[in-house]
Amino acid sequence: MRAIQVARAGAPFELVQRALPQPGYGEVRVKVQACGVCHSDSIAKEGLFPGIPYPIIPGHEVAGVIDQIGDGVVGWSVGTRVGVGWFGGNCGRCEPCRRGDLIDCQNIRIPGINFDGGYAEAMIAQASGLVRIPDDLASEEAAPLLCAGVTTYNALRNSGARAGDVVAILGLSGLGHLGVQFAAKMGFRTVAIGRGADKESFARQLGAHVYLDGEKQNPAAELAKLGGAKTILATVPNSKAMSELVPGLSVRGKLIVIGVGAEPIQVSAVDLIATNRTIHGHASGTSIDSEDTLKFSVLAAVRPMTETMPLERAAEAYEKMMAAKARFRMVLTTGA
Ligand SMILES: [Zn+2]
Ligand SMILES: [Zn+2]
């Protein structure tokens, strides 16, 4: 099969021929149709986590079709359209797993980081990480929903905000453009926070009821005028912008952090105490959370904005994404 591998930390992407992998116990082989290119692929590319088994095939936003089933797999068949996201399977034995908290599994299997991922014509996936893809969703659309989609959808639906509450989304790129759509379709009074007047019409197309321009307005003060946000979903890699939003939360409002900024988030204790506000981290979601994300996306007509490139142009797609020039989500296709 054709695959894109990284030979060692910091090495370039290279197109190689690999033997078609065989599924082991509890695993299936997925014939890959599409794989999203995500900022987190830099973990494999640059060796940012310890213990990455090089040479590795990156990619954790995978959509395709099961074409072989290993021993011990129950409930999945050859020919079923499936995806695999960041959650590539859990161990079932560690303490978080035994408490039913699968996303916090201490032995979580992340495709493209712990084992070969989806920048290839086929990959091996653990059955516990598989996601059924609805017929009405193309593989290029499903792939980014398995990472950026489930992260924003699952954060919002578990935030405690109720229909009609003010919910703000900080950022309008890969994560944010999905967050705004999900928030609006979930029935929240949706506030998009971007930079520049030119983003307003786009934010409104996505369903935002209010647009705040961080270059001209003080978003926290504007949110306070609306009564404060019950939830602020912070999708941008900018800790300073997140810190500044805390006074825009309502009483018992939550700042949910899913963007990764390099600097620490700073917050005044006074801004938290009297109002009972909280700051939360949120990990994406398990395979069933991803399945819910895909179903809701079909139900409510939420779609990622994508740009596709063939697998062999992975390096170009990655560079475009890293330079933030991509039209939201880059997706590699195999032609399968
Ligand atoms: Zn991702
Ligand atoms: Zn576990």
Side-chain angles (χ1 to χ4, degrees):
M1 67 171 185
R2 289 178 308 143
I4 301 289
Q5 72 173 26
V6 178
R8 60 192 176 281
F13 290 123
E14 50 180 339
L15 179 65
V16 294
Q17 285 291 328
R18 289 260 197 116
L20 203 55
Q22 301 300 313
Y25 188 89
E27 296 175 336
V28 306
R29 186 172 66 209
V30 178
K31 185 167 75 175
V32 178
Q33 294 171 323
C35 184
V37 178
C38 180
H39 197 274
S40 303
D41 295 340
S42 59
I43 295 167
K45 176 79 172 55
E46 306 303 336
L48 305 180
F49 282 7
I52 296 172
Y54 291 103
I56 191 152
I57 301 171
H60 59 265
E61 302 182 0
V62 190
V65 178
I66 295 178
D67 80 341
Q68 199 178 340
I69 304 256
D71 289 339
V73 173
V74 178
W76 297 94
S77 321
V78 168
T80 302
R81 284 181 73 225
V82 291
V84 192
W86 181 263
F87 179 88
N90 65 299
C91 76
R93 301 182 307 275
C94 71
E95 180 167 333
C97 276
R98 291 176 65 201
R99 294 190 188 281
D101 195 2
L102 310 191
I103 191 64
D104 290 310
C105 172
Q106 290 163 351
N107 306 301
I108 192 169
R109 303 261 299 149
I110 307 167
I113 292 177
N114 303 130
F115 63 102
D116 282 333
Y119 283 29
E121 288 178 305
M123 76 169 268
I124 299 299
Q126 202 172 311
S128 63
L130 292 175
V131 178
R132 279 186 181 77
I133 301 179
D135 291 343
D136 295 334
L137 208 54
S139 290
E140 307 88 271
E141 296 172 328
L145 291 172
L146 296 166
C147 181
V150 63
T151 300
T152 49
Y153 171 79
N154 211 32
L156 288 168
R157 72 170 175 169
N158 291 317
S159 71
R162 300 190 298 174
D165 283 345
V166 174
V167 169
I169 312 294
L170 174 63
L172 282 166
S173 57
L175 289 160
H177 88 286
L178 289 166
V180 171
Q181 293 182 68
F182 284 129
K185 293 288 168 66
M186 286 178 188
F188 303 130
R189 187 173 181 196
T190 303
V191 181
I193 307 171
R195 296 192 69 80
D198 55 317
K199 304 269 168 49
E200 173 158 4
S201 65
F202 174 60
R204 290 193 185 277
Q205 273 171 40
L206 296 172
H209 304 106
V210 177
Y211 175 72
L212 300 178
D213 176 2
E215 284 178 357
K216 288 220 182 78
Q217 294 167 291
N218 176 336
E222 296 300 320
L223 287 173
K225 283 182 204 166
L226 298 171
K230 205 78 189 168
T231 297
I232 299 174
L233 185 64
T235 73
V236 297
N238 182 339
S239 304
K240 185 164 173 284
M242 295 184 196
S243 305
E244 288 170 359
L245 281 178
V246 173
L249 288 167
S250 69
V251 166
R252 298 192 188 277
K254 285 183 195 168
L255 175 71
I256 302 182
V257 178
I258 58 173
V260 182
E263 305 296 320
I265 297 168
Q266 292 191 321
V267 59
S268 141
V270 174
D271 281 339
L272 296 179
I273 293 170
T275 44
N276 284 294
R277 293 168 175 145
T278 50
I279 300 179
H280 280 241
H282 172 80
S284 58
T286 62
S287 47
I288 195 67
D289 293 318
S290 287
E291 219 165 284
D292 291 345
T293 305
L294 299 186
K295 282 185 192 161
F296 184 83
S297 299
V298 170
L299 179 74
V302 171
R303 291 292 186 278
M305 293 185 66
T306 59
E307 182 180 337
T308 58
M309 278 192 190
L311 177 66
E312 54 272 20
R313 287 169 68 191
E316 189 185 333
Y318 177 82
E319 267 156 39
K320 201 165 173 186
M321 178 275 304
M322 289 302 274
K325 283 187 197 134
R327 196 85 184 125
F328 309 105
R329 295 303 279 193
M330 299 299 300
V331 178
L332 301 172
T333 52
T334 61

